[in-house]
Amino acid sequence: MASSHSSSPVPQSNSSDAFFKKEMDVTKRFRPVQSLPDVCPKEPTGDPNNLRDSPSLVVDQHRWTIFHSKVNLPAALNDPRLAKRESDFFTKTWGVDFVDTEVTPSFYLPQITKEHFALYQQEITPREKVHERCKNICIPTDTFDGTLLHTRDKSRTDLEQVPKIFMKPDFALEDSLTFNAVLPWSHFSTAGGKGNRDAASSKLLQEKLSHYLDIVEVNIAHQISLRSEAFFHAMTSQHELQDYLRKTSQAVKLLREKISKIDKVMCEGSLRVLRLSLTRNNCIKAYNKLKLMATVHQTQPTVQLLLSTSEFVGALDLIATTQEVLQQELQGIHSFRHLGSQLCELEKLIDKMMIAEFSTYARSDLNRPLEDDCQILEEERLVSLVFGLLKQRKLNFYEIYGDEMIITAKNIIKQCVVNTVSQIEEIDTEVVVKLADQMRMMNFPQWFDLLKNIFSKFTIFLKRIKATLNTIRSVVFLVLDKNQKTRDLEDTLQKNSAKDSAVDTEVAYLTHEGMFISDAFGEADLPPVAAETTSQRNTSPNSEPCSSDSVSEPECTTDSSSSKEQTSSSVTPGAVEMMISDDMKLTDLELVRLANNIQELLYNASDICHDRSVKFLMARAKDGFLEKLNSNEFVALSRLMEGFILDTEQICGRKSMSLRGALQSQANRFVNRFHEERKTKLSLLLDNERWKQAEVPAEFQDLVDSVSDGRISLPEKKPAATEERKPSEFLTVEGQKYATVGTVLLLIRIILEYCQCVDNIPSITTDMLTRLSDLLKYFNSRSCQLVLGAGALQVVGLKTITTKNLALSSRCLQLIVHYIPIIRAHFEARLQPKQFSMLRHFDHITKDYHDHIAEISAKLVAIMDSLFDKLLSKYEVKAPVPSACFRNICKQMAKMHEAIYDLLPEEQTQMLFLRINASYKLHLKRQLAHLNVVNDGGPQNGLVTSDVAFYTGNLQALKGLNNLDLNMAEIWEKR
């Protein structure tokens, strides 16, 4: 039917002008009339030339169009920053680099080449040939086209007569505005005298509307006539389509019957088995959920039970595990909607309980009786508390221990003072109420014993603190070590992930209900953790399978947490490993900082003990008690404090400077008082010294002998013997005899006291060196004032300063000079290398003493020189021989020898008389020249020779001067 239809648009294959008929087909020749723009302005019209160039929101929303371009062309062409170009009119204002700039290809547009048009050319080439052939046989269409255009223009003109309001898509007479616009009621007024006119107006309106209807009907008929062939073709195709649908319905019915039979025979039973298996698995999941809910329901009673035994770590682990189960496995359970917040509040309560428990532990640990026992108090309890505090990130718990240390240190001193005061009957506690005042009433032995007791208590106190803090630090280091092992394990797993990737790619998942298939793999092929899980899941054939491992893990964790209550808490590596949970998320930096703070707390404990000791010391020193101590008492105090300082440094590993500074301060005060007392004593001795030779008691000789043995120290007082040793006339030092005065003997003892004080208190070495140098300088200057300066005449009341006084003073100075190198070596051994420059004081003192000794010798020579000048100026060469002048000179020389021979060594005596003899020869030579007596063998020469021989004989006859070379020939002038 469709094939025989004369108006079929399909060309026949046996027609020679098939292509012509295709071109001249009515549906192709006559284009459909364009719809009115005011009726449907949004629809595209039939005229392709009138299609809109604006993009369509529906069609072009994902395609790039020119509207995506954002280039401002005037701004690009008129860039004032670029130099002008004068190449041509178009590019002179484009800029320097406009022409040469390479344009970046747009990523919205593909690269089009000739190959893209190859297929199009292959398809269009034969059509073009057919088109060219058809143009030759085609009839002229100018008339037809003109008629068509005329018809189209006429239709358009007719449609333009119809008002636009009828073409609107929202045209509705229900709208009052639309109704009034279509039917104006002003034409239907019923006022008198206007009836005929209104009837005419209504008739005219009706005719106008009828005209509009005719125009529309004509256009509709015209449009239908243009599409008549397509309409009839569609009707023909509709009959064929109904036949096809009937056959298809019968085939589908038959196919459904066959599928139903197959479903009953082959699929229904298998699907029922799968459905029952799925139902069973769901029941198992529900059962496991109920078991898990029952376990979670017992969390709070279990936590209370753990807290009753101070198992804070187990309680926190149980809370953390329950919170994880609530968030993962039991999320959305209505009955547990408040359990999470309750557990959070319980966790906050545990935090407060742990802090209070740790504070109680610190108080009980530090306040227990201070005996020699330094064992840790309840070590297991301490470890559990520390693990719990670390788990909750309470990293400032050590501050609680530090506060308790301060309070305990105060109480230790207070308790020691109270115990000591209660044992002293002389102190009436009812009269003297304040504890500090009671302490100040103690004498030095009582106070010294109290200080020793305090230091011993503090030593035990620090040892206990060190043991406790070492335990806490060991816990911190265990957690740090666990973190490092965890990281190493993660690195190992990452390295082995490449090996496990082959197994992971073969793991399959069921798309229905998300069931995991693992039966196809053996346990040997799985990773160790997966194999262990699989073995637990398949332990017994009668055990109920778990749908996932996350269901069984909380149960195991809960059981292990509750089992901690039953096990004894012994601090072993295994027990400690159990306490370290994986959720203890502390960084290495935090742990290291905490360990350093704990170590710093030990240093602070040492500082606290030292500070409290300093306050105790200063409280006793308020009334000048420490400054009044003698050297032995202060040395004992210094040794006690130095011992305590060394003990604390050994325990804590760091020096504390407060007590050492207080000791240094007291030592400086002691040195000042010590020096002032000795200097005052020496000044009094010098002011009362008559500069006569003193007897040397046996104890001073023993003192000097001990120094000769290399020990610069004061000998211990020996018990009085039945037969007392008599004092000696001289002080024997290394085989030499020294005639001394009593002041010098005491000065030697004072010097040894300085040296021994340095041995006892090493911290005052430099101060003692300075003070000793000052003392030696003071003795030198003061003795010079008294002897050479004749100050003893007014101070002591001496009649004159004799040669014996001078010689004795020189010998005393020589004795001090003998000991200066020994003293220097003693101090040098106790000084730091950077302090060796202070030893130059001894070099200056030695030089001053030698200068003083030389001045005394010059003074002795000057005495004889003045005597020679007085006697020889009156000398006359005449009989008798020897002359009176020479007899007086020999007499004075004998007196001088008698005065100094027992005081000075023989060598010094010879040197002194040689200088005196030189002075004698000078004066005699001058007098002989004055008298014109020459060595000519005359009588006067003989008389002078006889007098000189008398002088020489008398001088050499003196003890120790027999071998003295006088060289008397120098008295004669050479000619």
Side-chain angles (χ1 to χ4, degrees), residues 76-79 82-85 88-99:
L77 297 179
N78 298 289
D79 190 354
L82 302 178
K84 294 184 178 180
R85 298 169 57 91
D88 53 44
F89 175 76
F90 296 101
T91 62
K92 67 179 181 179
T93 59
W94 290 1
V96 178
D97 301 327
F98 188 86
V99 177

Side-chain angles (χ1 to χ4, degrees), residues 758-802:
V758 168
D759 290 338
N760 296 330
I761 312 174
S763 60
I764 61 174
T765 302
T766 55
D767 291 338
M768 278 297 183
L769 189 150
T770 305
R771 301 301 194 282
L772 181 58
S773 302
D774 180 66
L775 187 72
L776 293 174
K777 290 179 182 179
Y778 176 77
F779 173 76
N780 184 36
S781 61
R782 187 62 177 159
S783 61
C784 181
Q785 293 174 4
L786 293 174
V787 179
L788 282 177
L793 299 180
Q794 292 81 18
V795 176
V796 186
L798 296 179
K799 295 180 180 180
T800 182
I801 301 299
T802 62

Side-chain angles (χ1 to χ4, degrees), residues 929-957:
H930 177 69
L931 297 176
N932 294 323
V933 178
V934 295
N935 188 14
D936 55 359
Q940 288 184 338
N941 185 15
L943 293 174
V944 172
T945 303
S946 298
D947 287 337
V948 169
F950 174 75
Y951 165 79
T952 304
N954 279 279
L955 188 59
Q956 291 181 345

Side-chain angles (χ1 to χ4, degrees), residues 580-598:
I580 305 177
S581 58
D582 294 333
D583 60 346
M584 193 175 292
K585 302 301 182 182
L586 293 173
T587 62
D588 292 352
L589 181 62
E590 291 175 335
L591 293 172
V592 171
R593 187 184 295 115
L594 178 59
N596 293 335
N597 290 336
I598 294 172

Side-chain angles (χ1 to χ4, degrees), residues 130-166:
V130 172
H131 176 67
E132 293 296 332
R133 189 167 65 249
C134 289
K135 284 171 63 177
N136 298 328
I137 62 174
C138 187
I139 61 175
T141 59
D142 295 340
T143 305
F144 178 79
D145 291 340
T147 304
L148 182 62
L149 292 174
H150 176 72
T151 305
R152 184 180 303 168
D153 294 339
K154 183 179 180 181
S155 300
R156 183 177 301 172
T157 303
D158 293 339
L159 284 175
E160 288 178 353
Q161 298 177 6
V162 180
K164 302 298 182 182
I165 191 172
F166 293 102

Side-chain angles (χ1 to χ4, degrees), residues 3 109 119 193 237 283 383 483 556 561 605 718 837 844 868 881-882:
S3 62
L109 302 177
L119 181 61
S237 301
C283 292
V383 171
N483 288 350
C556 299
S561 301
K718 298 179 180 179
S837 60
H844 298 331
F868 292 151
V881 177

